[in-house]
């Protein structure tokens, strides 16, 4: 039987407000996505995942949903959505949308009603005195509880404008099953589930042990066993539609074993494998992550970048003198990731080798993390700066006219536009296109396991029959393993010698 489409897919994450702006208001939108779909088809990805575009006050970039069944006017209309999906499908691209079941926006009608004292059992309200009901901290900093003027407290694991739903209430289940059907009926191919391990909280809402709020199963906040029943129900809905609809969970756990629980055959199809993204630039660390991932035997996924983390070009270059090392490593890590069995998630701009924008002035920063930490934590705006498409000055083709994009783009991005890189065979964009093309050609013939080959200590060599991948994380050049042909490398490779911070794909006998 042929593998389902998502098993070896390359999925491209679109953070809609920073991707492409067709309306000319400085904010990306669905019509902008639609216009740029041919670029994505040419890049060679199989699917797109759209971060939330639903009605929202945008306190947390749309992860604060006020209406799960409508498009925010900032991003367009439901008709724009339908037209975008139709074009995507026409181009052979699948469409995954985000679903945010842990919390709504405070502007959601249910929470508005709760503020008036109606239907509070849909959220987590508790009596309390002047102190919060327990010691839980918000992921964005500060207490996870906010007190209303009438004295009751409500729980928000994120911003106070994101009240947590009460998943012990059947009405919440019914609502989300209906929301799933709403988007499935509109033709989406899958869902990315936000904070998928967060929905249930331990009965009685006991204090967390002091210290770090680990994602362990023993935590009263994360990974409660009851959550699995939700995904069993969701799986039934997905399976009731034709065309291999799927779900990928944003599941943060402490171990690959805990992660595997979400991937049982009647639950989620995939989950993000954040261990790869969190690993430092080290052959040992990469090898551990790969081994841990492969050992669980469930549909592996790989991801280096998303709208919540510092871009890999900057992450891998942190503290280094040579300013080009970060990009070299990001390209090598990407090539390595694309050689592994399973599916890979790319984040917009990764194909352009964009760095994190670290010097955004405080007054333009919008991530609630910045404000809630009193400006101590920069937050995630630096990886959300609108994409540079063309031209030599802001907005670099992001918007049709000379409008200011919602976050300023740095002048250095003139050299990194998609247009400029398209005509440069040595660019990161050209490199990504080539890697994705080769991956497509080979993937059907490759086994879903890897075999490690002997390598020098700071390098990794692994093989999947006719494809061998070599990556050098050390400081000395290493000799490549025997091969018939060099298929692609992340930086020039000569005379069979792999320089530091470089990866290569080899055709092997
Ligand atoms: C994870 C999302 O990726 C992030 O952007 C958001 O802030 C939190 N979940 C809360 O919804």
């Amino acid at each position: 039987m042929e593998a389902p489409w998502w098993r070896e897919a390359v999925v491209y994450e679109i953070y809609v407000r920073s991707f492409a702006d067709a309306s000319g208001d400085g904010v990306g939108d669905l019509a902008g996505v639609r216009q740029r779909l041919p670029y994505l088809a040419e890049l060679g990805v199989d699917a797109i995942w759209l971060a939330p575009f639903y009605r929202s006050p945008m306190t947390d970039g749309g992860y604060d949903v006020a209406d799960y069944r409508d498009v925010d006017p900032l991003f367009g209309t439901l008709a724009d959505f339908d037209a975008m999906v139709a074009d995507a499908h026409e181009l052979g691209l699948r469409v995954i949308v985000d679903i945010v079941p842990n919390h709504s926006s405070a502007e959601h009608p249910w929470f508005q009603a709760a503020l008036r004292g109606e239907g509070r059992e849909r959220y987590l309200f508790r009596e309390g005195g002047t102190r919060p009901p327990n010691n839980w901290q918000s992921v964005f900093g500060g207490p996870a509880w906010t007190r209303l003027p009438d004295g009751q407290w409500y729980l928000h694991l994120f911003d106070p404008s994101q009240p947590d739903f009460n998943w012990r209430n059947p009405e919440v289940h019914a609502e989300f099953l209906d929301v799933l059907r709403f988007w499935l009926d509109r033709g989406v191919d899958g869902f990315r589930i936000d904070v998928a391990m967060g929905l249930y909280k331990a009965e009685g809402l006991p204090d967390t042990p002091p210290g770090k709020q680990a994602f362990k199963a023993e935590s009263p906040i994360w990974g409660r066993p009851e959550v699995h029943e939700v995904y069993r129900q969701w799986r039934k809905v997905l399976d009731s539609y034709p065309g291999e609809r799927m779900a990928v969970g944003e599941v943060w756990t402490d171990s690959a074993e805990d992660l595997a629980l979400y991937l049982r055959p009647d639950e989620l199809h995939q989950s993000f494998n954040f261990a790869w993204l969190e690993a430092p630039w080290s052959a040992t660390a990469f090898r551990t992550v790969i081994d841990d991932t492969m050992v669980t035997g469930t549909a592996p996924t790989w991801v280096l970048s998303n709208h919540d983390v510092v871009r890999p070009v900057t992450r891998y270059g942190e503290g280094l003198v040579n300013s080009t090392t970060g990009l070299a490593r990001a390209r090598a890590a990407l090539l390595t990731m694309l050689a592994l069995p399973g599916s890979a998630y790319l984040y917009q701009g990764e194909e352009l080798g964009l760095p994190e924008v670290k010097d955004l002035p405080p007054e333009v920063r919008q991530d609630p993390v910045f404000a809630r930490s009193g400006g101590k934590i920069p937050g995630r705006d630096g990886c959300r700066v609108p994409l540079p498409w063309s031209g030599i000055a802001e907005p670099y083709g992001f918007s049709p006219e000379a409008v200011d994009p919602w976050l300023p783009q740095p002048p250095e991005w003139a050299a990194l536009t998609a247009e400029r890189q398209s005509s440069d065979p040595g660019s990161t964009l050209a490199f990504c296109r080539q890697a994705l093309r080769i991956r497509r050609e080979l993937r059907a013939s490759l086994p879903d396991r890897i075999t490690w080959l002997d390598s020098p200590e700071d390098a990794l060599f692994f093989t999947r029959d006719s494809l061998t991948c070599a990556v050098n994380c050390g400081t000395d050049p290493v000799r490549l393993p025997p091969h018939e042909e060099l298929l692609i490398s992340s930086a020039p490779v000569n005379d069979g010698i792999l320089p530091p911070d470089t990866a290569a794909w080899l055709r092997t006998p």
Side-chain angles (χ1 to χ4, degrees), residues 206-434:
D207 277 355
T208 51
K212 195 171 165 274
Q213 294 189 16
F215 292 114
K216 286 196 175 71
E218 310 89 69
S219 158
I221 305 180
W222 309 111
R224 306 299 306 166
E226 297 93 320
V227 80
H228 296 287
E229 189 50 37
V230 174
Y231 302 131
R232 286 188 199 109
Q233 280 186 28
W234 288 18
R235 179 63 177 256
K236 283 190 193 129
V237 173
L238 291 164
D239 287 350
S240 72
Y241 280 77
E244 301 178 326
R245 317 288 176 112
M246 56 79 78
V248 51
E250 186 208 19
V251 185
W252 294 87
T253 62
D254 287 337
S255 69
E257 292 81 47
D258 281 349
L259 197 59
L261 295 177
Y262 293 79
L263 302 173
R264 285 175 285 194
D266 58 348
E267 295 195 37
L268 305 181
H269 301 77
Q270 290 183 333
S271 117
F272 292 106
N273 180 13
F274 293 117
W276 177 251
L277 170 155
E278 289 177 315
W281 178 256
S282 137
T284 318
F286 285 172
R287 187 176 176 136
T288 305
V289 172
I290 294 169
D291 280 340
D292 285 355
T293 306
M294 298 306 297
V295 98
T296 62
T298 40
T301 65
W302 310 96
V303 62
L304 284 169
S305 189
N306 65 35
H307 65 279
D308 290 330
V309 298
V310 173
R311 284 193 179 272
V313 169
T314 303
R315 225 166 55 215
Y316 289 134
E318 218 99 89
L320 301 178
V321 186
N322 189 337
S323 63
T324 59
T325 305
L327 178 60
R329 290 181 177 178
R331 285 169 60 144
L334 182 61
L335 197 62
T336 307
M337 162 170 116
L338 291 171
L340 290 163
S343 88
Y345 283 79
L346 308 184
Y347 174 51
Q348 64 183 37
E350 198 171 352
E351 79 281 16
L352 302 175
L354 295 186
E356 184 86 357
V357 181
K358 295 183 91 172
D359 57 358
L360 289 169
E363 62 276 12
V364 304
R365 289 193 180 268
Q366 302 205 12
D367 185 354
V369 170
F370 180 70
R372 281 183 72 81
S373 68
K376 285 202 198 75
I377 305 176
R380 302 160 295 176
D381 294 308
C383 65
R384 300 174 177 180
V385 172
L387 289 194
W389 289 97
S390 57
I392 53 165
E394 206 177 42
Y396 300 111
F398 170 71
S399 296
E401 289 157 36
V403 287
D404 290 338
W406 70 277
L407 285 174
Q409 299 157 305
E412 306 81 68
W413 283 18
L416 296 176
T417 64
E419 179 185 56
R420 181 109 168 238
Q421 295 200 38
S422 279
S423 54
D424 172 3
S427 69
T428 302
L429 179 58
F431 159 72
C432 281
R433 283 180 178 156
Q434 194 191 355

Side-chain angles (χ1 to χ4, degrees), residues 60 63 103 140 158 192 194-195 250 307-308 380 384:
D60 184 23
Y63 284 96
H103 46 264
F140 290 166
F158 294 89
R192 176 265 189 194
D194 189 61
V195 201
E250 186 208 19
H307 65 279
D308 290 330
R380 302 160 295 176
R384 300 174 177 180

Side-chain angles (χ1 to χ4, degrees), residues 102-118:
N102 182 68
H103 46 264
S104 71
S105 160
E107 292 192 12
H108 189 285
W110 280 8
F111 196 73
Q112 289 296 308
L115 290 180
R116 297 191 300 271
E118 299 154 22

Side-chain angles (χ1 to χ4, degrees), residues 59 136-146 154 156-162 366-377:
T59 311
W136 295 2
Q137 293 294 297
S138 147
V139 174
F140 290 166
W145 295 92
T146 290
Y154 69 89
H156 51 85
L157 292 181
F158 294 89
D159 192 72
S161 66
Q162 295 166 294
Q366 302 205 12
D367 185 354
V369 170
F370 180 70
R372 281 183 72 81
S373 68
K376 285 202 198 75
I377 305 176

